[in-house]
Amino acid sequence: MSTAFPSGTTGARAHDHDACLARSLAAAERVCGERGLRLTPQRRRVLEVVAAGHAAIGAYEIIDALAAEGRRPAPISVYRALDFLVAQGLVHRVDSLSAFVLCASPGSNHRAQFLICQRCRDIAELRSDAVNAAIGEGAAAVGFSVSSAVVEVSGLCRACSRV
């Protein structure tokens, strides 16, 4: 099992976020380059806003962050950038929050599992083969073919549970 954050931590509080951001942007450039796609300035900026923290961020929060830098972008342009970033495996949509979070394994095809802090909205991404196998086995037992599976677990991160 792997997490988006260093072993033994949940959330952005316990790691070097500048290095994390730099790795994420470099990975996005690499993924797009390998696929012959462009990480346009708009897509890159939306990715930077999502990557600014490990908390889930909604589309309108992204729009507000971009508007604070100058001209307010049209919502459709931000949604198109988000659609691209999700399709390329650079960002995940967290359905329960109607929000987005940076992918811990950019560009890889994987089923994500999330630990979502109810208080601070930090998110840790897990990649557990055991969870994926359990979903697959349970589905197969009832003759169901899984095309997509996202597991979202709500609770409190380590920092918030101490409060």
Side-chain angles (χ1 to χ4, degrees):
M1 173 172 45
S2 66
T3 64
F5 310 112
S7 177
T9 68
T10 301
R13 294 177 177 89
H15 78 287
D16 180 352
H17 191 67
D18 290 336
C20 176
L21 179 59
R23 279 191 308 274
S24 297
L25 294 173
E29 292 285 354
R30 177 186 49 77
V31 166
C32 289
E34 289 171 356
R35 296 177 182 171
L37 302 170
R38 287 191 59 231
L39 188 62
T40 64
Q42 174 79 4
R43 292 169 178 170
R44 181 183 177 86
R45 194 63 199 110
V46 169
L47 180 63
E48 289 171 341
V49 172
V50 172
H54 291 285
I57 184 168
Y60 279 89
E61 292 171 292
I62 295 168
I63 292 167
D64 290 344
L66 296 173
E69 300 170 356
R71 200 171 133 228
R72 185 173 190 81
I76 190 68
S77 68
V78 172
Y79 277 106
R80 284 183 182 146
L82 287 166
D83 287 345
F84 173 85
L85 296 170
V86 168
Q88 299 313 312
L90 302 171
V91 167
H92 291 292
R93 185 178 193 318
V94 181
D95 290 330
S96 65
L97 300 175
S98 295
F100 299 87
V101 68
L102 191 65
C103 178
S105 302
S108 68
N109 184 14
H110 62 278
R111 292 182 177 160
Q113 300 120 26
F114 301 108
L115 301 178
I116 304 167
C117 182
Q118 294 168 297
R119 188 170 291 152
C120 70
R121 289 180 54 145
D122 270 4
I123 296 181
E125 179 181 347
L126 306 178
R127 291 188 53 198
S128 170
D129 293 334
V131 170
N132 289 334
I135 291 169
E137 291 165 10
V142 296
F144 188 82
S145 176
V146 177
S147 61
S148 175
V150 177
V151 176
E152 298 182 17
V153 180
S154 295
L156 295 176
C157 70
R158 180 178 296 160
C160 289
S161 65
R162 291 183 186 147
V163 175

